[in-house]
Amino acid sequence: MFTVYTLAQAEQWDAIVRSFREYDTYWLSGYVKAFEIHGDGEPLLLYCESGGARGINVVMKRDVAADERFRDLIPAGQYFDLTTPYGYGGWIIEGGNASALFGEYEAWARRCTIISEFVRFHPMLGNHSACEDFYDVVRLGEVVHMDLSSPEDIWSNIISKNRNVIRKAVKNGVRIYNGRFPQIYEIFRTIYNGTMDKDDAEAYYYFEREFYRSVLEDLPLNAQVFYAEKDGVVIAASIILAANGRMNYHLSGSLREFSSLAPTNLLLYQAALWGCANGYRTLYLGGGVGSEEDSLFKFKRAFYKGELNRFHIGKRIFDRQRYDELTAMRPPTESGFFPKYRA
């Protein structure tokens, strides 16, 4: 049995997702809806039962002709590819041998003229391991999470220098709050866009008001803003996702002029304490830019002394002939980007 769910079937979609033991927010319909608004493609939940196994995969289906580099070169609605929504995804599989499940998946992809798929597997689920015979799985850098077993574990896993920074933030009058209401999402948007300006971010990483409205309204139980205030001014804020015992550090920004107060350090510590008090097991922080051990990675590493997980990606070509034809339409490139025709 192979079933494809769209956002028009959001209730069934989420019921299927929540029937799996190891799901996270990234698979929920409310999460991907915001990225459809952002222009990332058509969200689909793929569900398959075969050979004693069952699995789900969340994808964004993209029309290759909509890529500006193929405009007027190929007709619309002829070739498609799949990618993981912003964040993480990939197949979550339960039960027996998954080979028959992947056989049905490939047959569906070929029927629907899907050329390729790019996957960002969830480091906390380790769901890449069940997919290694079907995808070209690539091991990338280390990523950081916080263990929320107890307040004592949270504090003891933070390195001493970071503890001092957190104490200093408290001493300097930084206060942390959390909630979900329209005004805080608008404040977050302003702070986050300023951070993207500071980092010379690509246009993709700027989200419109409708995007944040969707996060507020379509993830009422799974997303909120943690924010730091100093003398009544919001100086840092982060959108935190939460589901099924897992918290995820999603989007974040801060005001540069208050960076010496380390508001984000205190924010993450307080978010971890909130998660512990509300039954969550982990707070996933992620890694560095491009999986590098850069300053961002070192900032996150200061919150956890324990063993780290690895980030994996997956690549799959369903139609090699069409893939090569599309690649040949582009100027030659040595980029390792996948799919190559979108490099």
Side-chain angles (χ1 to χ4, degrees):
M1 181 178 70
F2 192 93
T3 309
V4 179
Y5 294 92
T6 70
L7 290 183
Q9 302 158 293
E11 187 173 339
Q12 299 102 306
W13 174 318
D14 289 338
I16 288 288
V17 169
R18 292 191 175 103
S19 74
F20 280 75
R21 291 187 302 274
E22 298 295 332
Y23 80 90
D24 201 351
T25 308
Y26 302 108
W27 280 262
L28 294 173
S29 65
Y31 177 79
V32 294
K33 185 174 181 180
F35 290 97
E36 180 182 47
I37 292 169
H38 192 52
D40 288 3
E42 179 189 7
L44 301 174
L45 180 74
L46 313 176
Y47 176 68
C48 185
E49 292 183 29
S50 188
R54 70 179 194 131
I56 50 172
N57 186 17
V58 60
V59 298
M60 305 299 284
K61 180 182 176 184
R62 306 178 297 183
D63 189 336
V64 178
D67 188 311
E68 61 182 12
R69 290 155 290 201
F70 289 100
R71 194 161 294 153
D72 301 324
L73 294 178
I74 58 176
Q78 185 168 342
Y79 301 126
F80 303 90
D81 55 22
L82 307 176
T83 187
T84 299
Y86 181 102
Y88 302 105
W91 284 96
I92 300 175
I93 296 173
E94 295 180 348
N97 191 317
S99 59
L101 181 153
F102 285 131
E104 291 205 30
Y105 178 40
E106 181 159 14
W108 170 82
R110 290 182 177 276
R111 287 195 306 271
C112 296
T113 61
I114 306 295
I115 307 301
S116 66
E117 180 185 8
F118 178 75
V119 183
R120 291 182 296 274
F121 294 105
H122 196 318
M124 297 302 294
L125 273 58
N127 57 325
H128 67 279
S129 60
C131 301
E132 290 178 321
D133 292 337
F134 187 73
Y135 292 88
D136 174 17
V137 174
V138 180
R139 184 174 185 240
L140 298 179
E142 292 181 314
V143 291
V144 182
H145 71 279
M146 299 177 70
D147 178 0
L148 308 187
S149 298
S150 70
E152 293 76 19
D153 286 331
I154 292 168
W155 188 246
S156 65
N157 270 309
I158 297 173
I159 68 169
S160 59
K161 183 178 179 180
N162 195 16
R163 289 188 217 168
N164 290 336
V165 167
I166 290 169
R167 291 188 186 105
K168 180 182 175 183
V170 173
K171 184 177 179 180
N172 285 325
V174 178
R175 297 291 179 262
I176 307 299
Y177 304 95
N178 58 292
R180 46 173 310 278
F181 50 94
Q183 184 184 7
I184 194 58
Y185 274 92
E186 182 59 26
I187 293 171
F188 173 85
R189 178 176 176 269
T190 301
I191 293 175
Y192 172 81
N193 285 352
T195 301
M196 294 300 99
D197 291 343
K198 179 182 66 177
D199 294 341
D200 294 322
E202 297 176 14
Y204 175 83
Y205 296 100
Y206 291 82
F207 305 103
E208 298 297 329
R209 286 186 172 87
E210 292 78 11
F211 172 92
Y212 292 108
R213 174 65 66 176
S214 175
V215 175
L216 172 66
E217 295 182 351
D218 298 316
L219 286 171
L221 305 179
N222 307 102
Q224 60 178 311
V225 178
F226 281 77
Y227 55 102
E229 281 193 3
K230 167 68 173 172
D231 299 330
V233 177
V234 178
I235 62 174
S238 301
I239 295 178
I240 302 290
L241 307 176
N244 197 26
R246 310 177 194 281
M247 296 175 69
N248 295 279
Y249 182 42
H250 185 43
L251 300 174
S252 188
S254 60
L255 299 182
R256 172 178 281 179
E257 58 268 34
F258 293 96
S259 60
S260 63
L261 300 179
T264 305
N265 301 63
L266 179 59
L267 185 156
L268 287 174
Y269 173 59
Q270 293 285 358
L273 292 178
W274 181 94
C276 174
N278 285 277
Y280 292 93
R281 302 185 301 273
T282 57
L283 170 53
Y284 176 74
L285 302 182
V289 177
S291 293
E292 297 294 326
E293 293 192 9
D294 56 8
S295 59
L296 178 60
F297 174 84
K298 291 173 183 175
F299 167 78
K300 295 172 179 178
R301 183 57 162 142
F303 286 90
Y304 187 62
K305 298 176 182 175
E307 185 177 350
L308 301 183
N309 293 0
R310 284 273 181 176
F311 174 43
H312 295 77
I313 60 172
K315 308 172 186 179
R316 177 72 182 184
I317 297 174
F318 296 103
D319 189 333
R320 169 59 73 174
Q321 179 181 342
R322 301 300 182 200
Y323 183 93
D324 291 342
E325 289 175 358
L326 291 170
T327 301
M329 294 180 186
R330 297 288 316 286
T333 176
E334 296 303 316
S335 168
F337 191 88
F338 184 89
K340 187 174 285 189
Y341 54 81
R342 287 187 182 268

